[in-house]
Amino acid sequence: MRQMQELSAEPRPGTGKGPAYQTRRKGRIPAVVYGGSEAPQNLSVDAHTLGLHVGQGGFLTTLFMLEVGGKKQRVIPRQLQLDPVTDRPVHVDFMRLVAGATVKLAIPVRFKGQENSPGLKRGGVLNIVRHEVEMLCPADNIPDYLEGDLSGLDIHGTLHINDFQLPEGAKPTVREENFTVASIVAPTSVIEEQRAAAAAAAAAAAAPAVEEAAAPAEGAAPAAGAAPGAAPAAGAAKAPEKK
């Protein structure tokens, strides 16, 4: 489980673009905390500190102990807005987590055992169907990631969600039962060779049938425009002799 981080914040007076702009000019990022039995509260957090947390990765699945005016509350980020030019945080929303709360999160997927996978050793390619799995997790047991083991997996082998060890109390929100998370597929060169071989075999099988259809049946009348001197059809009437 990801370790809880400490973060301090200050009350932020005013709302709207003007006050938010003034907050950023002071080196702080506008924020909002909501949820639980308390009303939403406008806050600001230090821009440098927030940037460090964001840069570590997994920000939206990290629990924070947020301190505001000496009062601490457990929160989790729910939305992070970035500047489209600088890619720096410009606003963040936090949700309060009360005791026994559950939260819906997209948990990243990682893999191990690549060196023990026969399929990868033979040149297969790991095809990741789901880079993240949306899960409903207890607030006290949020995993950093889900880890799948590729050991023993050959080409065309698959890893399903049941192959992953899920945290206690956590469950996927995907309705499909035992859905596929990743598989090992043959390399493109092998697939193309198989397609070419299949096409050649199909063409070879079709060739005798085409030749048989093109050959005239025995005793059949010659086609119109046949070459002169061809034998007349059996039973043809003889022209009367001139007297």
Side-chain angles (χ1 to χ4, degrees):
M1 186 181 74
R2 185 179 293 274
Q3 185 176 1
M4 185 177 297
Q5 304 293 319
E6 300 283 342
L7 183 64
S8 61
E10 298 177 359
R12 173 171 56 95
T15 58
K17 294 183 178 180
Y21 174 75
Q22 294 300 326
T23 299
R24 296 187 189 101
R25 288 196 61 183
K26 297 176 182 178
R28 302 189 66 81
I29 302 301
V32 173
V33 60
Y34 62 90
S37 58
E38 301 181 33
Q41 184 179 10
N42 295 321
L43 307 171
S44 70
V45 295
D46 180 69
H48 178 70
T49 303
L50 182 64
L52 292 177
H53 285 296
V54 173
Q56 291 176 359
F59 178 71
L60 295 179
T61 59
T62 300
L63 295 179
F64 287 91
M65 186 59 72
L66 188 67
E67 181 178 359
V68 184
K71 179 183 178 181
K72 293 185 177 182
Q73 50 190 326
R74 189 175 57 167
V75 300
I76 188 169
R78 296 305 284 162
Q79 186 175 15
L80 176 68
Q81 297 179 18
L82 302 177
D83 185 278
V85 178
T86 64
D87 210 31
R88 294 177 180 174
V90 296
H91 194 280
V92 59
D93 292 353
F94 294 100
M95 185 179 73
R96 299 184 184 99
L97 294 175
V98 298
T102 58
V103 60
K104 185 185 294 185
L105 297 170
I107 307 299
V109 177
R110 297 183 183 178
F111 300 93
K112 66 177 182 179
Q114 287 88 339
E115 67 281 2
N116 297 320
S117 167
L120 294 179
K121 289 182 178 180
R122 293 170 53 197
V125 178
L126 178 61
N127 176 43
I128 302 176
V129 180
R130 295 178 183 270
H131 292 269
E132 295 178 332
V133 176
E134 188 178 75
M135 303 192 68
L136 192 63
C137 304
D140 296 322
N141 201 14
I142 298 175
D144 292 346
Y145 53 86
L146 302 179
E147 189 172 53
D149 192 356
L150 301 174
S151 300
L153 209 62
D154 209 338
I155 292 178
H156 304 308
T158 58
L159 279 181
H160 299 90
I161 190 61
N162 288 353
D163 298 317
F164 290 75
Q165 185 175 358
L166 305 181
E168 184 178 356
K171 60 181 180 180
T173 61
V174 182
R175 294 184 178 181
E176 181 183 351
E177 185 177 355
N178 199 24
F179 53 86
T180 299
V181 178
S183 62
I184 296 183
V185 298
T188 305
S189 58
V190 173
I191 295 176
E192 291 178 351
E193 290 176 2
Q194 292 175 346
R195 289 177 178 173
V210 173
E211 294 177 358
E212 183 178 349
E218 184 178 353
K238 185 178 180 181
E241 298 180 358
K242 293 184 180 181
K243 295 181 179 181

